[in-house]
Amino acid sequence: MTAIPSFFTQSSPPGLTGIKAWLLTHDHKRLGLMYLYAVLFWFVVAMVIGLLIRTELMSQGRTIMGPGMYNSLFTLHGVIMIFLFVIPAIPAIFGNFFLPIQLGTDDVFFPRLNLFSWYLFMFGGIFALVALFTGDGFPDTGWTFYVPFSVQSSSNVGLTVSAAFILGMSSMLTGLNFVTTFHRMRDKRMGLMQIPLFTWSLYATAWVQILATPVISITFVLVVMERLLSIGLFDPARGGDPILYQHLFWMYSHPAVYIMILPGMGVVSEIIPVFSRKSIFGYKAIVWSSMGIAIAGSLVWAHHMYTSGMSDVSVFVFSLLTFLVAIPSAVKVFSWVATMYKGSIEMTPPLLLSLIFIYLFSVGGLTGLVLGAVGTDIHVHDTHFVVAHFHFVMFGGTGFAFLAALHYWWPKMFGIMYPFRPAYIGAVLTAVGFLFHYVPMLILGLQGMPRRYYDYLPQYETGNFLAGFGGYLLCIGLVVMFVNLLASLRHRVAAPADPWGATTLEWRVPSPPPVHNFVDKPEIMDFPYDFRQVGDNSASQRS
Amino acid sequence: MTPVQGVDLAFWYILGISVVLLFGITAVMVYFVVRFRRSRHPVASDIRDNYKLEILWTIIPTLIALSMFYVGWHSYLGLRAVPDDAMNVAVEAQMFSWLFIYENDKESENELVVPVGRAVKLNVSSVDVLHSLFIAAFRIKVDAIKGIPTYAWFYADKVGEYDIQCTEYCGVNHSAMVAKLRIVPQEEFEAWLAEDGN
Ligand SMILES: [Cu+2]
Ligand SMILES: [Cu+2]
């Protein structure tokens, strides 16, 4: 096996060398890594911005910046985190790298389109940067770009929504590639119920990406047209409707929540069985709940609009549907926990991060019930409660799933192991910091502190001060984890093909994989999580 | 039951059940990790599903969710049902202040004064971008929109001062768009109402 060169040394298409072998590659694995570098860059930028925002809020009045700056920064934090980190993080990095391998094939269905999506992603990011440094500066509208404010604002709204438009295109094309690869490239012997759950979750996500993204693209085009031509689509004085914008915006942006969380659920569905050395509990229920979330999640968008002035009938319907979409997520949580029952559990950094995911995601889901119920939502809508809630889901959920995926697949992607102890320390610091950061915000929200507030009433100072400390702890934890992984690139400890004792196909190929992934035709298991054959050799292989 | 009590009851109901569920999930998870750790439980059982259990944990959460929906909706009805004898005040939101206009055309900026013991209906609109009227003490919040009238109401049951905040982001001084609600005795209110507006 050692004779086969890895994808790091062999290019696809063949014959390319140096930087060209990366910038012109058709290899889904190289593209996955190229996304990894770009996405991490944006994550660090947005994290620093987040920290600046929370520092400003640590004391009443002006702390380190003025209100204009503050408003631009929370908009920038939202735009980057949503469009350049959370949405692409798991699908574009780990999906690109592992979906074809898990399906037993050598690349995605449209490799050139895959490269093109990466360029769109980079262009979208550059557009956002240009918006930052030209014209009247970055928008101060919030990432929601609500009209009429976004139409009147003199800031660079047009350029920024164009950036989001391009990034949406990139996300759609990635989704298109996944759906076609799933159907057309899958090993002929692999039936639907033999597909790993990570790939299933990406498949469900991909449909949402393809079907929902055009709605936001059109909406952003409408905003640009309003700004340039003042048509009056959203202006009641001219027969328009400002609430229409909110419907269009959330028609994408609520399903987008599932674009963000479903792949994370897929990651956890891979990791829990491997380290429990036991089949996932309720495989079919998890597959169906992924598809159920994708479909039902597209019908609940107006739960963001209970106070918007829409009719009480709509409020009733959207609240009811919102409660029903909570069920598939609950089923998944129960299945993960049940998987560990009578397992043989080995603690590792990816498992610890997955357990933290389950806890934080549960808090996110349960606080979501407060927001789904109408009477309670009226009180906490647009307060810090909402801010804390969606960070529990997007960061506690997707963010921790991303970290778990990074620690789980790192040996496969780079062919090296990393020390566990710093990873544990980093994970615990991040989780503790997370709770100190966001639990005070839940309470601030219940007390009535609105979101997007540069300054606040005196009764909210203690909570904001505490949250700031949690934020710093959280960032220190993240730095520890990232430095640990980066250091492993220098002091290389070679990883075996299957360091964890896993069953899915990516662990049947060398670490890192060769350019065509499979050396021999892989054996397809009847059930992807059959651990009866996995011996206890993994631990000895690793040490 | 006042609307505030209705909403608070919904909070207690939903948050109470949530805390129990969260505690249950976490406790079971931690117990499994400790009880079935590899050193103590080296060979895993091969359990793949259990339809009875799965149906059970689909149906029970559905029932809980529906009950939460009902409690939430019911408390919302209280926020919408304005008593017939409510006093009307028009609220105009603008960047970045609140204008309260009384039936005798008295205008008051950033100060809403009402008599104790009355139901107050706020008819809300905006002269520019979106704003949102939020009085945390009375659990009410409604967007202010140019061209589309909205409303909220509360029962002024206790004398005191309460905060009014804007909760729909509206520009550079959004967080400074705060006002005071003063609930005062009837005579004091009448005297205030008779004063010349600004
Ligand atoms: Cu939503
Ligand atoms: Cu306002």
Side-chain angles (χ1 to χ4, degrees), chain A residues 67-68 71 74 140-141 146-149 152 236 241-243 246 275-282 285 307-309 312 315-316 319-320 323 327 331 333-335 337-338 340-347 355 358-359 362-363 366 369-370 373-376 378-383 446-448 450-455 457 459-460 527 530 532, chain B residues 7 10-11 14-15 17-19 21-22 25-26 28-29 32-33 36-39 41-51 53-54 57-58 61-62 65-66 68-69 72-73 75-76 79-80 95 128-130 132 134-137 139-143 145-148 150-151 163 165-178:
Chain A
N71 295 341
F74 75 66
D140 54 350
T141 58
Y146 269 18
V147 298
F149 186 74
Q152 294 171 8
D241 186 348
I243 300 175
Q246 296 176 31
F275 298 104
S276 304
R277 192 151 293 175
K278 178 164 165 285
S279 160
I280 186 85
F281 186 91
T307 68
S308 71
D312 285 347
V315 172
F316 180 93
S319 174
L320 184 60
F323 273 98
I327 308 300
V331 167
V333 170
F334 298 145
S335 294
V337 175
M340 292 188 284
Y341 174 67
K342 290 200 173 172
S344 174
I345 298 169
E346 184 194 14
M347 187 50 78
L355 298 176
I358 295 179
Y359 177 76
S362 297
V363 178
L366 291 165
L369 299 172
V370 173
V374 190
T376 47
I378 299 293
H379 179 62
V380 287
H381 174 73
D382 267 341
T383 66
L446 289 170
Q447 291 172 336
R451 66 190 288 200
R452 295 174 174 170
Y453 258 35
Y454 165 71
D455 201 6
L457 299 169
Q459 62 263 39
Y460 305 127
F527 180 63
D530 187 346
R532 285 173 304 180
Chain B
V7 171
F11 267 113
I14 297 171
L15 287 174
I17 292 180
S18 298
V19 168
L21 283 173
L22 179 68
I25 291 166
T26 312
V28 171
M29 186 169 84
F32 284 172
V33 171
F36 301 113
R37 63 186 185 274
R38 193 157 294 168
S39 57
H41 198 253
V43 181
S45 311
D46 189 27
I47 308 165
R48 296 183 184 183
D49 38 35
N50 179 334
Y51 291 120
L53 186 63
E54 287 174 62
W57 75 33
T58 307
T62 307
L66 288 176
M68 288 178 174
F69 160 74
W73 173 251
S75 66
Y76 178 64
L79 296 174
R80 303 300 287 167
M95 291 155 124
D128 41 49
V129 300
L130 296 181
S132 192
F134 177 36
I135 310 180
R139 315 287 186 264
I140 56 171
K141 182 179 291 144
V142 70
D143 287 8
I145 310 156
K146 187 182 176 182
I148 299 181
T150 55
Y151 74 89
D163 295 312
Q165 303 178 88
C166 176
T167 47
E168 185 63 78
Y169 177 73
C170 58
V172 67
N173 283 326
H174 169 55
S175 67
M177 193 169 157
V178 291

Side-chain angles (χ1 to χ4, degrees), chain A residues 1 140 186 238 263 349 354 439 481 484 535 537:
Chain A
M1 294 238 305
D140 54 350
R186 195 170 76 238
R238 286 180 283 170
S354 300
V439 171
M481 263 189 280
N484 181 44
N537 55 357

Side-chain angles (χ1 to χ4, degrees), chain A residues 403-414:
Chain A
L403 293 168
L406 202 57
H407 285 84
Y408 179 59
W409 279 310
W410 188 265
K412 181 55 64 184
M413 294 194 295
F414 295 100

Side-chain angles (χ1 to χ4, degrees), chain A residues 250 253-255 257-258 297 300-304 322 389:
Chain A
W250 290 112
S253 297
H254 186 79
V257 170
Y258 298 107
V300 299
W301 71 85
H303 61 204
H304 299 263
T322 299
H389 155 74

